[in-house]
Amino acid sequence: MKIDGGCHCGYLTYRAEVDPGDVIICHCTDCQTLSGTAFRTVVFAPDSDFAFVTGAPKIYVKTAESGRPRAQAFCPECGTPIYSADPGEGPKLLGLRAGTVRQRNTLRPAKQLWTRSALDWIDDVAAIERVERQ
């Protein structure tokens, strides 16, 4: 599936090809901290099927709980996270941040990872009062 997206301020825009069946929710504490919310939704794309149309990201390399380094690409202007990948040279699988994908409503997660770190209330979201606009 062809997708496009970008950061909040518009400095970074991209195009990619993804498998819409390859979407996950990650509950790890790093994703909670780096996204500023309860979990992160990710769709994967080979770097050969991804290209920035405008801008260039800033890269921050974090060390995961496993000890594995992960490059975090984000907008240097507004801070929007765009993807994570293994650092260094060679082919990569990018974990695109689904919130930056214009077609995000069509990307339904198929799996949840790191559920041991999931916040206790996450399964109760459907029961929380809903307000259409603030």
Side-chain angles (χ1 to χ4, degrees):
M1 165 183 182
K2 291 186 185 308
I3 62 167
D4 61 280
C7 67
H8 188 264
C9 74
Y11 173 77
L12 292 177
T13 60
Y14 64 82
R15 288 188 299 243
E17 180 111 10
V18 300
D19 175 350
D22 199 9
V23 181
I24 59 115
I25 290 173
C26 184
H27 293 280
C28 80
T29 56
D30 284 349
C31 280
Q32 290 171 4
T33 301
L34 289 165
S35 68
T37 189
F39 57 84
R40 188 186 315 254
T41 307
V42 176
V43 61
F44 295 97
D47 63 348
S48 59
D49 292 337
F50 175 90
F52 281 106
V53 177
T54 62
K58 181 163 176 59
I59 304 293
Y60 163 69
V61 179
K62 73 159 182 101
T63 302
E65 182 180 313
S66 66
R68 182 174 160 199
R70 295 291 291 163
Q72 308 292 311
F74 60 94
C75 176
E77 299 297 320
C78 68
T80 302
I82 303 295
Y83 68 77
S84 69
D86 289 333
E89 300 300 316
K92 302 187 183 340
L93 186 62
L94 307 180
L96 300 177
R97 302 338 191 182
T100 69
V101 176
R102 193 170 54 84
Q103 301 83 0
R104 62 186 163 264
N105 195 43
T106 64
L107 300 174
R108 187 174 195 86
K111 184 187 291 187
Q112 297 183 66
L113 304 178
W114 285 96
T115 56
R116 76 175 188 195
S117 304
L119 300 181
D120 293 340
W121 52 261
I122 202 73
D123 291 332
D124 302 327
V125 170
I128 296 172
E129 178 185 2
R130 294 173 60 146
V131 178
E132 214 171 294
R133 290 189 169 196
Q134 187 173 359

